[in-house]
Amino acid sequence: MLKYIVIFAGCMLLQSDAMEELSWSEHYKLTWNDFKGQPNPDTDAVAVTASGITFSYSIKQSNKKVVGFKTLVKAFFYPEHSWCKAEQVDAHVLGHEQLHFDITELHARLFRQRIAKIKPHDDLAQTLQELHKTIEDDLANMQHTYDAESNFSIDVVGQQKWKDSIAIRLKATEKFKSKG
């Protein structure tokens, strides 16, 4: 007897039934027109990128033993929850925001890379959920470190170091890039 278990787990900053989302693509770079949310007047921030990783999986069982699985990992940008103060932004700030999205894609790739090493086993669902949590934690930590070390794009040298570093890491994980 074959049995399939399907699970969906998502990390979205905000959830809605009809949330607009843009999939990460090496052929598309964000523009200020993608930032459709209302700016927060109570912060010094001039732009915010809302992005995240969605994750789903199905597990195939036979005679109560896990015999296979499939996963889907996607990196998304959420226009309705991303915003900018149009009079205070420029191409440099847009590059900073794009890199936030690229960091999300990097973690989607790292997630896929780690999943590729997993063999079917009885605690597979728990293993996948723990890996998902680890990736989400790593993503959040890197996003915060990036902002700190680039001083939210103000430190031009720090910003360039991050841009170069993420480009190298994306290249190194190209085999696991998002399709589409």
Side-chain angles (χ1 to χ4, degrees), residues 56-107:
S56 62
Y57 63 89
S58 63
I59 296 174
K60 182 178 175 183
Q61 293 182 326
S62 179
N63 297 323
K64 297 185 180 180
K65 298 291 282 177
V66 173
V67 295
F69 69 101
K70 292 182 181 178
T71 62
L72 181 63
V73 175
K74 302 277 281 181
F76 286 113
F77 172 87
Y78 304 100
E80 312 284 326
H81 300 291
S82 300
W83 55 262
C84 69
K85 296 176 181 174
E87 66 284 352
Q88 296 178 41
V89 296
D90 58 19
H92 177 74
V93 175
L94 183 60
H96 178 84
E97 299 307 316
Q98 176 67 51
L99 203 53
H100 275 295
F101 193 20
D102 293 345
I103 289 170
T104 302
E105 167 63 12
L106 172 63
H107 283 78

Side-chain angles (χ1 to χ4, degrees), residues 23 52-55 72-76 104-105 108 112 178-180:
S23 295
I53 296 172
T54 60
F55 169 55
L72 181 63
V73 175
K74 302 277 281 181
F76 286 113
T104 302
E105 167 63 12
R112 290 185 204 104
S178 292
K179 312 275 192 282

Side-chain angles (χ1 to χ4, degrees), residues 93-163:
V93 175
L94 183 60
H96 178 84
E97 299 307 316
Q98 176 67 51
L99 203 53
H100 275 295
F101 193 20
D102 293 345
I103 289 170
T104 302
E105 167 63 12
L106 172 63
H107 283 78
R109 291 179 184 194
L110 294 171
F111 194 12
R112 290 185 204 104
Q113 184 178 45
R114 291 179 190 171
I115 288 170
K117 296 176 183 175
I118 297 173
K119 303 291 183 220
H121 62 280
D122 288 341
D123 293 327
L124 180 61
Q126 182 177 343
T127 299
L128 291 170
Q129 290 166 358
E130 288 172 358
L131 181 56
H132 181 237
K133 174 152 182 17
T134 298
I135 288 291
E136 290 294 340
D137 291 346
D138 292 350
L139 171 58
N141 288 335
M142 184 177 278
Q143 296 285 20
H144 291 299
T145 302
Y146 166 51
D147 274 336
E149 292 181 0
S150 68
N151 193 16
F152 302 91
S153 83
I154 295 169
D155 180 343
V156 176
V157 173
Q159 176 74 24
Q160 188 60 50
K161 284 180 185 176
W162 271 90
K163 183 177 179 183

Side-chain angles (χ1 to χ4, degrees), residues 7-27:
I7 303 291
F8 175 80
C11 173
M12 295 183 213
L13 298 178
L14 299 166
Q15 287 187 321
S16 160
D17 288 340
M19 187 182 334
E20 182 182 357
E21 53 193 30
L22 292 174
S23 295
W24 187 92
S25 169
E26 64 186 324
H27 304 294

